[in-house]
Amino acid sequence: MAASAGQPQDATHQAWKRMVPYLYDSMASHALPWPALAVRWGPVVEQGPKRTRQRAYLSEQTDGSVPNLLMAVDVELARPRTATADQLLAFTEHSRSPHVSRPVKTVVHPGEVNRIRELPQHPHVLVTHTDAPQLYVWNMEAQPDRAGVKNTSPKQHSVADLVLEGHKEAAEFALGVSSAAPLAASGGRDAQVLVWDLASHATSLALPSDSGDGDCAVVGTRLQPAHTLKGHASTIEDVCWQPGSVSELASVGDDFSLLLWDTRHGSAPVLHVARAHGPQDVHCVSWNPHRQDLLVTGAADGSLKVWDRRKTSSPTFSFRHHAGAATVVEWSPHAAGAFASAGEDRLLCVWDLDAPLPDADGVPAPKRQKSAIPHQLLFQHAGHRAAVVDLHWNPHDPWTLLSVADEAGEGGGGTLHAWRISDLVYRPADEVVAELEPYRDYILTGNEASLSRKPSTSGQLAGGPGAGTAHLPSGQDRSPAADAGSRGDAPSNGAHCGATL
């Protein structure tokens, strides 16, 4: 990137970083030597009184001089409301994080890894997409550790526990697994959705096995699809299962369509939403696990739409906020109305469909000034310096996410972020205001002398009911309100919240 283009980006990034102590409960930034296109949370490894250690899986996309890798690492997460402001700011963008371990398991993958999905029934078993018609299944507990392998010969590839066949052309990104059974679905350039039933292999995949030393590429067990679904007219970009279902799926693609399928009713779609985003490729789709009539889609123009499958003549919600193509959408596993979206504009947005309208102070609706920011936009993670290519909500830790950006075009590798949103952002506004009210003077003026008159520990706020403590960074030149207000751009660098003091 040219220096003239980089300076505004750097300024925006630094503005975001100044706001981290006020917007985040936990934040870790981990520089990667190569870009990573896929990241997923794994099982909890250890729980302590102050920290949790959790497995995570990510890819490493190289330039061909060294092998492409699938890796398992451990991420250390502080318990909510235990990290200090100094700890939240103790990261640099080009360094490894002490909260992310070196790889605990390395697989030499046959080709770059574009997507990863874990089997919910066996979270250490992964399905991967690459630039080929085949998919691969890996038991990460049983796989030999191939750390240190530098030879790019196919003979050095790790041996997959299972190879999923059936696509006639490359299947690169569309990948989903059922939460109800060991079923995997994939879409590709052949415009077909294929479904594989892994049940007959579930026992062998779930248990560690003697798979040899992995020093040569031996063809693993191959599996043909149980279902072939036809209805798209172009490349399928994403596919997902209805949560809890073994038969219902959704897919989107470059034919501008959203299709719903039910394998109990044959190979044709049961619902076809043509031109779901107008004449735009639809890149991503996710099915709400709490309200199972709702799906969200994201498109090449950055638009997001929420659909009710009972009435698809028009979307239930439509948002145009991303300035670049939408890359990923995913519903929260914990909050019924919340979903996250990522885009090529370097932003990861968290939306809350249940967010109340901002208090209009009695102003009649026709006379209110319309905001360019939808009130459903709860939070913006603006810490990445390149396109956000993947994200994953933590299934074990509410409001905690993993995200990864591909910075190869910016002269770097990739950046992995593990972060938790401060509860002051998503709790009810009146509850937050009541908690912060004793600290009004400090928040509005930055006068630290006012803290000595409050019954709280230095550097912290008194917690609300059952809430522990909230961050209150000390030694800052400005209060949070003064810092955000001086720029007039807080929503573009962090949270968008209707609560005021």
Side-chain angles (χ1 to χ4, degrees):
M1 177 178 289
S4 60
Q7 289 174 355
Q9 178 186 341
D10 291 342
T12 298
H13 184 79
Q14 291 304 315
W16 164 80
K17 193 171 181 180
R18 287 196 300 271
M19 296 297 291
V20 166
Y22 310 109
L23 302 175
Y24 295 79
D25 186 79
S26 178
M27 175 67 208
S29 178
H30 185 70
L32 302 168
W34 296 99
L37 298 183
V39 65
R40 301 293 288 182
W41 288 106
V44 173
V45 177
E46 181 182 5
Q47 287 187 324
K50 294 184 178 180
R51 297 187 179 277
T52 297
R53 190 160 53 93
Q54 188 169 347
R55 191 64 40 88
Y57 303 106
L58 67 154
S59 63
E60 193 168 273
Q61 180 192 26
T62 72
D63 61 0
S65 61
V66 293
N68 294 284
L69 302 178
L70 172 64
M71 300 178 295
V73 299
D74 286 344
V75 179
E76 187 181 71
L77 295 168
R79 293 292 184 136
R81 290 199 170 203
T82 60
T84 66
D86 290 340
Q87 290 171 335
L88 285 168
L89 287 171
F91 67 88
T92 57
E93 290 74 7
H94 301 287
S95 301
R96 294 179 179 271
S97 170
H99 305 295
V100 180
S101 74
R102 292 189 177 275
V104 298
K105 180 67 66 72
T106 300
V107 165
V108 178
H109 199 275
E112 64 186 46
V113 182
N114 297 327
R115 280 290 182 267
I116 303 170
R117 291 292 182 267
E118 72 286 353
L119 294 184
Q121 303 81 11
H122 311 293
H124 60 276
V125 176
L126 308 180
V127 185
T128 57
H129 249 319
T130 187
D131 292 338
Q134 299 82 19
L135 288 76
Y136 300 95
V137 183
W138 309 90
N139 181 339
M140 294 298 287
E141 295 296 326
Q143 279 289 323
D145 187 10
R146 305 296 307 286
V149 173
K150 301 299 183 184
N151 193 324
T152 60
S153 168
K155 293 183 178 181
Q156 295 298 323
H157 292 166
S158 296
V159 182
D161 294 273
L162 196 59
V163 180
L164 307 183
E165 297 185 324
H167 279 296
K168 297 179 175 60
E169 298 183 52
E172 297 162 310
F173 293 101
L175 176 62
V177 295
S178 169
S179 62
L183 297 165
S186 165
R189 295 184 184 181
D190 57 7
Q192 297 180 352
V193 175
L194 305 185
V195 176
W196 292 269
D197 186 352
L198 310 183
S200 60
H201 301 271
T203 301
S204 60
L205 289 173
L207 299 175
S209 60
D210 182 9
S211 55
D213 58 10
D215 287 338
C216 60
V218 178
V219 176
T221 303
R222 297 180 181 274
L223 186 65
Q224 295 298 316
H227 301 280
T228 299
L229 309 178
K230 300 180 180 180
H232 279 285
S234 187
T235 298
I236 298 170
E237 296 285 356
D238 200 9
V239 62
C240 69
W241 292 81
Q242 177 184 336
S245 176
V246 297
S247 59
E248 295 181 82
L249 306 92
S251 60
V252 294
D254 292 349
D255 57 359
F256 315 151
S257 298
L258 163 66
L259 272 59
L260 301 190
W261 314 84
D262 190 330
T263 58
R264 296 169 297 185
H265 299 293
S267 60
V270 295
L271 181 65
H272 186 168
V273 182
R275 298 173 67 89
H277 289 252
Q280 297 291 329
D281 295 350
V282 189
H283 286 175
C284 42
V285 61
S286 181
W287 207 314
N288 192 316
H290 309 280
R291 301 166 181 167
Q292 296 196 358
D293 288 316
L294 296 185
L295 300 95
V296 60
T297 55
D301 63 351
S303 62
L304 306 171
K305 293 187 178 183
V306 177
W307 303 90
D308 187 326
R309 63 173 171 173
R310 298 167 297 183
K311 183 182 178 182
T312 57
S313 57
S314 61
T316 305
F317 294 92
S318 183
F319 304 112
R320 298 188 65 89
H321 185 72
H322 284 288
T327 53
V328 190
V329 290
E330 183 175 290
W331 291 97
S332 165
H334 298 102
F339 70 90
S341 64
E344 293 182 357
D345 58 357
R346 307 184 180 102
L347 291 178
L348 193 161
C349 299
V350 177
W351 305 81
D352 182 7
L353 301 184
D354 297 331
L357 285 168
D359 186 357
D361 296 326
V363 178
K367 296 184 179 181
R368 297 176 195 167
Q369 183 177 2
K370 290 186 177 181
S371 171
I373 301 174
H375 76 274
Q376 295 93 344
L377 179 58
L378 178 71
F379 189 87
Q380 287 188 154
H381 178 62
H384 286 295
R385 294 165 294 140
V388 183
V389 292
D390 204 9
L391 69 90
H392 189 204
W393 290 89
N394 193 325
H396 305 289
D397 194 336
W399 300 101
T400 303
L401 296 97
L402 277 176
S403 55
V404 68
D406 178 2
E407 295 169 0
E410 311 295 329
T415 303
L416 173 70
H417 285 175
W419 47 282
R420 183 189 299 122
I421 302 173
S422 168
D423 64 15
L424 298 181
V425 173
Y426 58 80
R427 284 164 51 202
D430 54 351
E431 185 179 309
V432 172
V433 170
E435 178 179 343
L436 298 182
E437 180 63 32
Y439 307 93
R440 173 190 292 268
D441 290 345
Y442 172 76
I443 293 170
L444 295 179
T445 68
N447 180 10
E448 294 188 15
S450 63
L451 295 178
S452 63
R453 301 190 296 270
K454 304 299 178 186
S456 65
T457 304
S458 177
Q460 296 179 324
L461 292 177
T469 56
H471 306 298
L472 184 59
S474 59
Q476 303 283 333
D477 293 333
R478 296 174 180 267
S479 71
D483 186 63
S486 66
R487 297 192 311 275
D489 63 354
S492 65
N493 293 296
H496 170 61
C497 180
T500 57
L501 290 176

